Coordinates of all heavy atoms in Angstrom, one line a residue:
M1 N 0.8 -1.2 0.0 CA 0.0 0.0 0.0 C 0.9 1.3 0.0 O 0.7 2.1 -0.8 CB -0.9 0.0 1.2 CG -1.8 1.2 1.3 SD -3.0 1.3 -0.1 CE -3.7 2.9 0.3
F2 N 1.8 1.3 0.9 CA 2.7 2.5 1.0 C 3.5 2.6 -0.3 O 3.8 3.7 -0.7 CB 3.6 2.3 2.2 CG 4.4 3.5 2.4 CD1 3.9 4.8 2.8 CD2 5.8 3.5 2.2 CE1 4.7 5.9 3.0 CE2 6.6 4.6 2.4 CZ 6.1 5.8 2.8
R3 N 4.0 1.5 -0.8 CA 4.8 1.5 -2.0 C 4.1 2.1 -3.2 O 4.6 2.8 -4.0 CB 5.3 0.1 -2.3 CG 6.6 -0.3 -1.7 CD 7.0 -1.7 -2.0 NE 7.4 -1.8 -3.4 CZ 8.7 -2.0 -3.8 NH1 9.6 -2.1 -2.9 NH2 9.0 -2.1 -5.0
S4 N 2.8 1.7 -3.3 CA 2.0 2.2 -4.5 C 1.7 3.7 -4.3 O 1.7 4.4 -5.3 CB 0.7 1.4 -4.6 OG -0.1 1.6 -3.4
L5 N 1.6 4.1 -3.1 CA 1.4 5.6 -2.9 C 2.6 6.3 -3.3 O 2.6 7.4 -3.9 CB 1.1 5.8 -1.4 CG -0.4 5.8 -1.0 CD1 -0.5 6.0 0.5 CD2 -1.2 6.8 -1.8
L6 N 3.8 5.8 -2.9 CA 5.1 6.4 -3.3 C 5.2 6.5 -4.8 O 5.7 7.5 -5.3 CB 6.2 5.5 -2.7 CG 7.5 6.3 -2.3 CD1 7.2 7.3 -1.1 CD2 8.6 5.3 -1.9
L7 N 4.8 5.4 -5.5 CA 4.9 5.3 -6.9 C 4.0 6.4 -7.5 O 4.4 7.1 -8.5 CB 4.5 3.9 -7.4 CG 5.0 3.5 -8.8 CD1 6.5 3.3 -8.8 CD2 4.2 2.3 -9.3
L8 N 2.8 6.5 -7.0 CA 1.8 7.5 -7.5 C 2.4 8.9 -7.3 O 2.3 9.7 -8.2 CB 0.5 7.3 -6.7 CG -0.6 8.2 -7.3 CD1 -1.1 7.6 -8.6 CD2 -1.8 8.2 -6.3
A9 N 3.0 9.2 -6.2 CA 3.6 10.5 -5.9 C 4.7 10.8 -6.9 O 4.8 11.9 -7.4 CB 4.1 10.5 -4.5
A10 N 5.5 9.7 -7.2 CA 6.6 9.9 -8.2 C 6.1 10.2 -9.5 O 6.6 11.1 -10.2 CB 7.4 8.6 -8.2
V11 N 5.0 9.6 -10.0 CA 4.4 9.8 -11.3 C 3.9 11.2 -11.4 O 4.1 12.0 -12.3 CB 3.3 8.8 -11.6 CG1 2.5 9.2 -12.8 CG2 3.9 7.4 -11.8
I12 N 3.2 11.7 -10.3 CA 2.7 13.0 -10.3 C 3.8 14.1 -10.4 O 3.7 15.1 -11.1 CB 1.8 13.3 -9.0 CG1 0.5 12.5 -9.1 CG2 1.5 14.7 -8.8 CD1 -0.2 12.3 -7.8
V13 N 4.9 13.9 -9.7 CA 6.0 14.8 -9.7 C 6.6 14.8 -11.1 O 6.9 15.9 -11.6 CB 7.1 14.4 -8.7 CG1 8.3 15.2 -8.9 CG2 6.5 14.7 -7.3
I14 N 6.7 13.7 -11.8 CA 7.3 13.6 -13.1 C 6.4 14.4 -14.1 O 6.9 15.2 -14.9 CB 7.5 12.1 -13.5 CG1 8.7 11.5 -12.8 CG2 7.8 12.1 -15.0 CD1 8.7 10.0 -12.8
V15 N 5.1 14.1 -14.0 CA 4.1 14.8 -14.9 C 4.2 16.3 -14.7 O 4.2 17.1 -15.7 CB 2.7 14.2 -14.7 CG1 1.7 15.1 -15.4 CG2 2.6 12.8 -15.2
W16 N 4.2 16.7 -13.5 CA 4.2 18.1 -13.1 C 5.5 18.8 -13.7 O 5.5 19.8 -14.3 CB 4.2 18.3 -11.6 CG 4.5 19.7 -11.1 CD1 3.6 20.7 -11.1 CD2 5.7 20.2 -10.6 NE1 4.2 21.8 -10.6 CE2 5.5 21.5 -10.3 CE3 6.9 19.6 -10.3 CZ2 6.5 22.3 -9.7 CZ3 7.9 20.3 -9.7 CH2 7.7 21.7 -9.4
F17 N 6.6 18.0 -13.5 CA 7.9 18.6 -14.0 C 7.9 18.7 -15.5 O 8.4 19.7 -16.0 CB 9.0 17.6 -13.5 CG 10.4 18.2 -13.7 CD1 10.9 19.1 -12.8 CD2 11.2 17.7 -14.7 CE1 12.2 19.7 -13.0 CE2 12.5 18.2 -14.9 CZ 13.0 19.2 -14.0
V18 N 7.4 17.7 -16.2 CA 7.4 17.7 -17.7 C 6.6 18.9 -18.2 O 7.0 19.6 -19.1 CB 6.9 16.4 -18.2 CG1 6.6 16.5 -19.7 CG2 8.0 15.3 -18.0
Q19 N 5.4 19.1 -17.6 CA 4.5 20.2 -18.0 C 5.1 21.5 -17.7 O 5.0 22.4 -18.5 CB 3.2 20.0 -17.3 CG 2.4 18.8 -17.9 CD 0.9 18.9 -17.6 OE1 0.5 19.5 -16.5 NE2 0.1 18.3 -18.4
R20 N 5.8 21.6 -16.6 CA 6.5 22.9 -16.2 C 7.5 23.2 -17.3 O 7.7 24.4 -17.7 CB 7.1 22.8 -14.8 CG 7.1 24.1 -14.1 CD 7.7 24.0 -12.8 NE 9.1 23.6 -12.9 CZ 10.1 24.1 -12.1 NH1 9.8 24.8 -11.1 NH2 11.3 23.7 -12.3
Q21 N 8.3 22.2 -17.7 CA 9.3 22.4 -18.7 C 8.7 22.8 -20.0 O 9.2 23.7 -20.7 CB 10.1 21.1 -18.9 CG 11.0 20.8 -17.7 CD 12.4 20.9 -17.9 OE1 13.0 20.4 -18.9 NE2 13.1 21.7 -17.1
R22 N 7.6 22.2 -20.4 CA 7.0 22.5 -21.6 C 6.5 23.9 -21.6 O 6.6 24.6 -22.6 CB 5.8 21.5 -21.8 CG 5.6 21.1 -23.2 CD 4.5 20.1 -23.4 NE 4.9 18.7 -23.2 CZ 4.0 17.7 -23.0 NH1 2.7 17.9 -22.9 NH2 4.5 16.5 -22.8
N23 N 5.9 24.4 -20.5 CA 5.4 25.7 -20.4 C 6.5 26.7 -20.5 O 6.4 27.8 -21.2 CB 4.7 25.9 -19.1 CG 3.3 25.3 -19.1 OD1 2.8 25.0 -20.2 ND2 2.7 25.1 -18.0
A24 N 7.6 26.4 -19.9 CA 8.8 27.3 -19.9 C 9.3 27.5 -21.3 O 9.6 28.6 -21.8 CB 9.9 26.8 -19.0
R25 N 9.4 26.3 -22.1 CA 9.8 26.3 -23.5 C 8.9 27.2 -24.3 O 9.3 27.9 -25.2 CB 9.9 24.9 -24.0 CG 11.0 24.7 -25.0 CD 11.3 23.3 -25.3 NE 11.7 22.5 -24.2 CZ 11.5 21.1 -24.0 NH1 10.8 20.5 -25.0 NH2 11.9 20.5 -23.0
R26 N 7.6 27.0 -24.1 CA 6.6 27.8 -24.8 C 6.7 29.3 -24.6 O 6.6 30.1 -25.6 CB 5.2 27.4 -24.4 CG 4.2 27.3 -25.5 CD 2.8 26.8 -25.1 NE 2.8 25.4 -24.9 CZ 1.9 24.7 -24.1 NH1 1.0 25.4 -23.5 NH2 2.0 23.5 -24.0
Q27 N 7.0 29.7 -23.4 CA 7.1 31.1 -23.1 C 8.4 31.7 -23.8 O 8.4 32.8 -24.2 CB 7.2 31.3 -21.6 CG 5.7 31.4 -21.1 CD 5.7 31.5 -19.6 OE1 6.7 31.4 -18.9 NE2 4.5 31.6 -19.0
E28 N 9.5 30.8 -23.8 CA 10.7 31.3 -24.4 C 10.5 31.5 -25.9 O 11.0 32.5 -26.4 CB 11.8 30.2 -24.2 CG 12.6 30.3 -23.0 CD 13.6 29.1 -22.8 OE1 14.1 28.6 -23.8 OE2 13.7 28.7 -21.7
G29 N 9.8 30.6 -26.5 CA 9.5 30.7 -28.0 C 8.7 32.0 -28.3 O 9.0 32.6 -29.3
R30 N 7.8 32.3 -27.4 CA 7.0 33.5 -27.6 C 7.9 34.8 -27.6 O 7.7 35.7 -28.4 CB 6.0 33.7 -26.5 CG 4.6 33.4 -27.0 CD 3.6 33.5 -25.9 NE 2.7 32.4 -25.9 CZ 1.9 32.1 -24.9 NH1 1.8 32.8 -23.8 NH2 1.1 31.0 -25.0
Q31 N 8.9 34.8 -26.7 CA 9.7 36.0 -26.6 C 10.7 36.1 -27.7 O 11.0 37.1 -28.2 CB 10.4 35.9 -25.2 CG 9.5 36.3 -24.1 CD 10.0 35.9 -22.7 OE1 11.1 35.4 -22.6 NE2 9.3 36.2 -21.7
S32 N 11.4 34.9 -28.1 CA 12.5 35.0 -29.0 C 12.1 35.0 -30.4 O 12.7 35.7 -31.2 CB 13.5 33.8 -28.7 OG 12.8 32.6 -28.9
S33 N 11.1 34.1 -30.8 CA 10.8 34.0 -32.2 C 9.3 34.2 -32.5 O 8.6 33.2 -32.6 CB 11.3 32.6 -32.8 OG 10.7 31.6 -32.0
A34 N 8.9 35.4 -32.5 CA 7.5 35.7 -32.6 C 7.0 35.3 -34.0 O 5.8 34.9 -34.2 CB 7.2 37.2 -32.4
S35 N 7.8 35.5 -35.1 CA 7.4 35.2 -36.4 C 7.1 33.7 -36.7 O 6.3 33.3 -37.5 CB 8.5 35.7 -37.4 OG 9.7 35.1 -37.1
D36 N 7.9 32.8 -35.9 CA 7.7 31.4 -36.1 C 6.3 31.0 -35.6 O 5.7 30.0 -36.1 CB 8.7 30.6 -35.3 CG 10.1 30.7 -36.0 OD1 10.2 31.3 -37.1 OD2 11.1 30.3 -35.4
K37 N 5.8 31.7 -34.6 CA 4.5 31.3 -34.0 C 3.3 32.0 -34.7 O 2.2 31.9 -34.3 CB 4.5 31.6 -32.5 CG 5.7 31.1 -31.8 CD 5.6 29.6 -31.6 CE 6.9 29.0 -30.9 NZ 7.0 27.6 -31.0
A38 N 3.6 32.7 -35.8 CA 2.5 33.5 -36.4 C 1.3 32.7 -36.9 O 0.2 33.2 -36.6 CB 3.1 34.3 -37.6
P39 N 1.5 31.6 -37.5 CA 0.3 30.8 -38.0 C -0.6 30.5 -36.8 O -1.8 30.6 -37.0 CB 0.9 29.5 -38.6 CG 2.3 29.9 -39.0 CD 2.7 30.9 -37.9
G40 N -0.1 30.1 -35.7 CA -0.9 29.8 -34.5 C -1.7 31.0 -34.1 O -2.9 30.9 -33.7
R41 N -1.1 32.2 -34.1 CA -1.8 33.4 -33.7 C -2.9 33.8 -34.7 O -4.0 34.2 -34.3 CB -0.8 34.5 -33.6 CG 0.1 34.4 -32.4 CD 0.9 35.6 -32.2 NE 1.8 35.5 -31.0 CZ 2.7 36.3 -30.6 NH1 2.8 37.5 -31.3 NH2 3.4 36.1 -29.6
I42 N -2.7 33.6 -36.0 CA -3.7 34.0 -37.0 C -4.9 33.2 -36.7 O -6.0 33.7 -36.9 CB -3.1 33.8 -38.4 CG1 -2.1 34.9 -38.7 CG2 -4.2 33.9 -39.4 CD1 -1.2 34.7 -39.9
Q43 N -4.8 31.9 -36.4 CA -5.9 31.0 -36.1 C -6.8 31.6 -35.0 O -8.0 31.3 -35.0 CB -5.5 29.6 -35.8 CG -5.1 28.8 -37.1 CD -4.8 27.4 -36.7 OE1 -4.5 27.0 -35.6 NE2 -4.9 26.5 -37.7
D44 N -6.2 32.3 -34.1 CA -6.9 32.8 -32.9 C -7.7 34.1 -33.2 O -8.4 34.6 -32.3 CB -6.0 33.0 -31.7 CG -5.4 31.7 -31.2 OD1 -6.1 30.6 -31.3 OD2 -4.3 31.7 -30.7
M45 N -7.5 34.6 -34.4 CA -8.1 35.9 -34.7 C -9.6 35.6 -35.2 O -9.8 34.7 -36.0 CB -7.4 36.7 -35.8 CG -5.9 37.0 -35.3 SD -5.9 38.2 -34.0 CE -6.1 39.7 -34.8
V46 N -10.5 36.5 -34.8 CA -11.9 36.3 -35.3 C -12.3 37.7 -35.8 O -11.7 38.7 -35.6 CB -12.8 35.9 -34.2 CG1 -12.5 34.4 -33.8 CG2 -12.8 36.8 -33.0
R47 N -13.4 37.7 -36.6 CA -13.9 38.9 -37.3 C -15.2 39.4 -36.6 O -16.1 38.6 -36.4 CB -14.1 38.6 -38.8 CG -14.1 39.8 -39.7 CD -14.0 39.3 -41.1 NE -14.3 40.4 -42.0 CZ -15.5 40.7 -42.5 NH1 -16.5 40.0 -42.1 NH2 -15.6 41.7 -43.3
C48 N -15.3 40.7 -36.4 CA -16.5 41.2 -35.9 C -17.6 41.2 -37.0 O -17.3 41.7 -38.1 CB -16.3 42.6 -35.4 SG -17.8 43.5 -34.8
T49 N -18.7 40.6 -36.7 CA -19.8 40.5 -37.7 C -20.4 41.9 -38.0 O -20.8 42.2 -39.1 CB -21.0 39.7 -37.1 OG1 -20.4 38.4 -36.7 CG2 -22.0 39.4 -38.2
E50 N -20.3 42.8 -37.1 CA -20.9 44.2 -37.3 C -20.0 45.1 -38.1 O -20.4 45.7 -39.1 CB -21.1 44.8 -35.9 CG -21.7 46.2 -35.9 CD -23.2 46.2 -36.5 OE1 -23.8 45.2 -36.6 OE2 -23.6 47.3 -36.8
C51 N -18.7 45.2 -37.7 CA -17.8 46.2 -38.4 C -16.7 45.6 -39.2 O -16.0 46.2 -39.9 CB -17.3 47.2 -37.3 SG -16.1 46.5 -36.2
G52 N -16.5 44.2 -39.0 CA -15.5 43.5 -39.8 C -14.1 43.6 -39.3 O -13.1 43.1 -39.9
I53 N -13.9 44.2 -38.1 CA -12.5 44.3 -37.5 C -12.1 43.0 -37.0 O -12.9 42.1 -36.6 CB -12.5 45.4 -36.4 CG1 -11.1 45.9 -36.1 CG2 -13.1 44.8 -35.1 CD1 -11.0 47.1 -35.2
H54 N -10.8 42.7 -37.1 CA -10.2 41.4 -36.6 C -9.7 41.7 -35.2 O -9.0 42.7 -34.9 CB -9.1 41.0 -37.5 CG -9.6 40.4 -38.8 ND1 -9.9 41.2 -39.9 CD2 -9.8 39.1 -39.2 CE1 -10.4 40.4 -40.9 NE2 -10.3 39.2 -40.5
L55 N -9.9 40.7 -34.4 CA -9.5 40.8 -33.0 C -9.2 39.4 -32.4 O -9.7 38.4 -32.9 CB -10.5 41.5 -32.1 CG -11.9 40.8 -31.9 CD1 -12.5 41.4 -30.6 CD2 -12.8 41.1 -33.0
P56 N -8.4 39.3 -31.4 CA -8.1 38.0 -30.8 C -9.4 37.4 -30.2 O -10.3 38.1 -29.7 CB -7.1 38.3 -29.6 CG -6.6 39.6 -30.0 CD -7.6 40.4 -30.7
E57 N -9.5 36.0 -30.4 CA -10.7 35.3 -30.0 C -11.1 35.5 -28.6 O -12.3 35.6 -28.2 CB -10.6 33.8 -30.3 CG -11.9 33.1 -30.3 CD -11.7 31.7 -30.8 OE1 -10.6 31.2 -30.9 OE2 -12.8 31.1 -31.0
H58 N -10.1 35.6 -27.7 CA -10.4 35.7 -26.2 C -10.9 37.1 -25.9 O -11.5 37.3 -24.8 CB -9.2 35.4 -25.4 CG -8.0 36.3 -25.5 ND1 -7.0 36.2 -26.5 CD2 -7.8 37.5 -24.9 CE1 -6.2 37.2 -26.3 NE2 -6.6 38.0 -25.4
E59 N -10.8 38.1 -26.8 CA -11.4 39.4 -26.5 C -12.7 39.6 -27.2 O -13.4 40.5 -27.0 CB -10.4 40.5 -27.1 CG -9.2 40.7 -26.2 CD -8.2 41.7 -26.9 OE1 -8.7 42.5 -27.7 OE2 -7.0 41.6 -26.6
A60 N -13.1 38.6 -28.0 CA -14.4 38.7 -28.8 C -15.6 38.4 -27.9 O -15.5 37.7 -26.9 CB -14.3 37.8 -30.0
V61 N -16.7 39.0 -28.3 CA -18.0 38.8 -27.6 C -18.8 37.8 -28.5 O -18.9 38.1 -29.7 CB -18.8 40.1 -27.4 CG1 -20.1 39.8 -26.8 CG2 -18.0 41.1 -26.6
Q62 N -19.2 36.7 -28.0 CA -19.9 35.7 -28.8 C -21.4 35.8 -28.5 O -21.9 35.9 -27.4 CB -19.4 34.3 -28.4 CG -17.9 34.2 -28.5 CD -17.5 33.3 -29.6 OE1 -18.3 32.5 -30.1 NE2 -16.2 33.4 -30.0
A63 N -22.2 35.6 -29.6 CA -23.7 35.6 -29.5 C -24.3 34.9 -30.7 O -23.9 35.3 -31.8 CB -24.2 37.0 -29.3
E64 N -25.1 33.9 -30.5 CA -25.8 33.2 -31.6 C -24.8 32.7 -32.6 O -25.1 32.8 -33.8 CB -26.9 34.1 -32.2 CG -28.0 34.4 -31.2 CD -28.9 35.6 -31.7 OE1 -29.3 35.5 -32.9 OE2 -29.1 36.5 -30.9
G65 N -23.7 32.2 -32.2 CA -22.7 31.7 -33.2 C -21.9 32.7 -33.9 O -21.2 32.4 -34.8
K66 N -22.1 34.0 -33.6 CA -21.4 35.1 -34.3 C -20.4 35.7 -33.3 O -20.6 35.5 -32.1 CB -22.4 36.2 -34.7 CG -23.5 35.7 -35.6 CD -23.2 35.7 -37.0 CE -24.5 35.3 -37.8 NZ -24.1 34.9 -39.2
T67 N -19.4 36.4 -33.8 CA -18.4 37.0 -33.0 C -18.5 38.5 -33.2 O -18.7 39.0 -34.3 CB -17.0 36.5 -33.2 OG1 -16.8 36.5 -34.6 CG2 -16.9 35.1 -32.7
F68 N -18.2 39.3 -32.1 CA -18.3 40.7 -32.2 C -17.1 41.3 -31.4 O -16.6 40.7 -30.5 CB -19.6 41.3 -31.6 CG -20.8 40.7 -32.3 CD1 -21.4 39.5 -31.8 CD2 -21.3 41.3 -33.5 CE1 -22.5 39.0 -32.5 CE2 -22.4 40.7 -34.1 CZ -23.0 39.6 -33.6
C69 N -16.7 42.5 -31.8 CA -15.6 43.2 -31.1 C -16.0 43.8 -29.8 O -15.1 44.0 -28.9 CB -15.0 44.3 -32.0 SG -16.1 45.6 -32.3
S70 N -17.3 44.0 -29.6 CA -17.7 44.6 -28.3 C -19.2 44.3 -28.1 O -19.9 43.9 -29.0 CB -17.5 46.1 -28.4 OG -18.3 46.6 -29.4
T71 N -19.7 44.4 -26.9 CA -21.1 44.2 -26.6 C -21.9 45.2 -27.3 O -23.1 44.9 -27.7 CB -21.3 44.3 -25.0 OG1 -20.8 45.5 -24.6 CG2 -20.7 43.1 -24.3
A72 N -21.4 46.4 -27.5 CA -22.2 47.5 -28.3 C -22.5 47.0 -29.7 O -23.6 47.1 -30.2 CB -21.4 48.8 -28.3
H73 N -21.5 46.4 -30.4 CA -21.7 45.9 -31.7 C -22.6 44.7 -31.7 O -23.4 44.5 -32.7 CB -20.4 45.6 -32.4 CG -19.8 46.9 -33.0 ND1 -18.6 46.9 -33.6 CD2 -20.2 48.2 -32.9 CE1 -18.3 48.1 -34.0 NE2 -19.3 48.9 -33.6
R74 N -22.5 43.8 -30.7 CA -23.4 42.7 -30.6 C -24.8 43.2 -30.4 O -25.7 42.7 -31.1 CB -23.0 41.8 -29.4 CG -23.9 40.6 -29.2 CD -23.9 40.1 -27.8 NE -24.3 41.1 -26.8 CZ -24.1 41.1 -25.5 NH1 -23.5 40.1 -25.0 NH2 -24.6 42.0 -24.7
D75 N -25.1 44.1 -29.6 CA -26.4 44.7 -29.4 C -26.9 45.3 -30.7 O -28.1 45.1 -31.0 CB -26.4 45.7 -28.3 CG -26.1 45.0 -26.9 OD1 -26.2 43.8 -26.8 OD2 -25.8 45.8 -26.0
A76 N -26.1 46.1 -31.4 CA -26.5 46.7 -32.6 C -26.9 45.7 -33.6 O -27.9 45.8 -34.3 CB -25.4 47.6 -33.1
W77 N -26.1 44.6 -33.8 CA -26.4 43.5 -34.7 C -27.7 42.8 -34.4 O -28.5 42.6 -35.2 CB -25.2 42.6 -34.8 CG -25.4 41.5 -35.8 CD1 -25.2 41.5 -37.1 CD2 -26.0 40.1 -35.5 NE1 -25.5 40.3 -37.7 CE2 -26.0 39.5 -36.8 CE3 -26.4 39.5 -34.4 CZ2 -26.4 38.1 -36.9 CZ3 -26.8 38.2 -34.5 CH2 -26.8 37.5 -35.7
Q78 N -27.9 42.5 -33.1 CA -29.1 41.8 -32.7 C -30.3 42.6 -32.9 O -31.4 42.1 -33.3 CB -28.9 41.4 -31.2 CG -28.1 40.2 -31.0 CD -27.9 39.8 -29.5 OE1 -28.0 40.6 -28.6 NE2 -27.7 38.5 -29.3
Q79 N -30.2 43.9 -32.6 CA -31.4 44.8 -32.8 C -31.8 44.9 -34.3 O -32.9 44.9 -34.7 CB -31.1 46.2 -32.3 CG -31.3 46.3 -30.8 CD -31.0 47.7 -30.3 OE1 -30.6 48.6 -31.0 NE2 -31.1 47.8 -28.9
R80 N -30.7 44.9 -35.2 CA -31.0 45.0 -36.6 C -31.6 43.7 -37.1 O -32.5 43.7 -38.0 CB -29.7 45.3 -37.4 CG -30.0 46.2 -38.5 CD -28.7 46.7 -39.2 NE -27.8 45.5 -39.5 CZ -26.5 45.5 -39.0 NH1 -26.1 46.5 -38.3 NH2 -25.8 44.5 -39.3
E81 N -31.1 42.5 -36.6 CA -31.6 41.2 -37.0 C -33.1 41.0 -36.6 O -33.8 40.3 -37.2 CB -30.8 40.1 -36.4 CG -29.4 40.0 -37.1 CD -29.5 39.5 -38.5 OE1 -30.1 38.4 -38.8 OE2 -29.1 40.3 -39.4
Q82 N -33.5 41.6 -35.5 CA -34.8 41.4 -34.9 C -35.9 42.1 -35.8 O -37.0 41.7 -35.8 CB -34.9 41.8 -33.5 CG -34.4 40.8 -32.5 CD -34.1 41.3 -31.1 OE1 -34.5 42.4 -30.8 NE2 -33.4 40.6 -30.3
R83 N -35.5 43.2 -36.4 CA -36.4 43.9 -37.2 C -36.9 43.2 -38.5 O -36.1 42.5 -39.1 CB -35.8 45.3 -37.6 CG -36.1 46.3 -36.6 CD -35.4 47.6 -36.9 NE -34.9 48.2 -35.7 CZ -33.9 49.1 -35.6 NH1 -33.3 49.4 -36.7 NH2 -33.5 49.6 -34.5
Ligands
ZN1 ZN1 -17.3 45.7 -34.3

């Protein structure tokens, strides 16, 4: 029983260590070679349905399967669609 707990703890530490190393490498890549990571960044860009501006997905406002640059543009689009 104690041996299996020790083994489990060892596995958790190894997984944690590997993920930490992976994250550190990712952050290094972001700082040193921004152009290499460009394709990944472009995939994260979305287009505002209202005004057509491109913005990062995590900044976008989502509604009814559409993306918007702000809640103001979401409301404007929804009001126009309802008419
Ligand atoms: Zn917009």
Side-chain angles (χ1 to χ4, degrees):
M1 181 61 187
F2 184 69
R3 269 178 75 105
S4 61
L5 271 178
L6 208 69
L7 199 72
L8 189 71
V11 168
I12 288 167
V13 167
I14 288 165
V15 168
W16 170 78
F17 190 75
V18 166
Q19 288 198 332
R20 213 182 63 145
Q21 290 252 309
R22 218 177 271 168
N23 284 345
R25 213 171 296 155
R26 216 177 285 161
Q27 278 175 353
E28 269 173 40
R30 250 177 229 168
Q31 282 164 2
S32 59
S33 56
S35 58
D36 290 352
K37 307 287 176 195
R41 285 189 182 177
I42 287 165
Q43 280 187 339
D44 292 330
M45 299 297 276
V46 292
R47 197 167 172 272
C48 175
T49 307
E50 180 68 13
C51 68
I53 200 170
H54 286 82
L55 67 155
E57 195 172 13
H58 66 270
E59 286 176 24
V61 179
Q62 307 249 342
E64 295 166 47
K66 309 267 183 196
T67 50
F68 304 91
C69 65
S70 60
T71 52
H73 277 180
R74 180 200 61 195
D75 293 346
W77 181 84
Q78 281 180 332
Q79 278 180 1
R80 218 175 45 236
E81 285 296 300
Q82 278 163 12
R83 269 174 220 158

